[in-house]
Amino acid sequence: MFEMCGFLENVNKFQDHIKRMQKDGQDLCSLLITPVQRIPRYEILLGELKKYTPSGHKNRQGLENSFKKVQSIAQYVNEAKGKTRA
């Protein structure tokens, strides 16, 4: 019973948040797409950092690994979006 009360309280908080977003001109879809839109920004940022980081720098290898991972995530997201549209 107490677990249900906590759940309902969270649902009410979520509904209140959605109502505030709607007043600000946003909706649930815009909230959900935000993380997906950040992936290309991270890819661009890491690419720029990589471009200006000397090859002998102590953080270069970690930067390259991060860049490759973000690229693979971006590719995965793009492929998944393509599958949902088909």
Side-chain angles (χ1 to χ4, degrees), residues 13-86:
K13 287 180 183 177
F14 181 73
Q15 288 174 334
D16 291 342
H17 181 71
I18 296 298
K19 287 176 186 175
R20 284 192 303 274
M21 285 179 48
Q22 288 172 336
K23 286 180 184 177
D24 294 338
Q26 295 180 320
D27 61 1
L28 182 59
C29 290
S30 64
L31 178 66
L32 294 174
I33 195 70
T34 300
V36 175
Q37 291 173 334
R38 288 184 181 156
I39 295 168
R41 293 181 197 154
Y42 293 144
E43 187 175 8
I44 292 167
L45 175 64
L46 289 171
E48 289 295 305
L49 283 171
K50 194 173 100 167
K51 184 171 28 173
Y52 293 106
T53 302
S55 59
H57 192 277
K58 66 178 183 175
N59 294 329
R60 178 64 187 221
Q61 188 60 47
L63 183 59
E64 289 195 19
N65 292 341
S66 298
F67 181 70
K68 287 176 186 175
K69 286 182 181 182
V70 169
Q71 278 186 318
S72 70
I73 291 168
Q75 181 180 355
Y76 174 81
V77 168
N78 286 336
E79 289 172 0
K81 285 188 339 189
K83 288 178 184 176
T84 59
R85 290 182 183 158

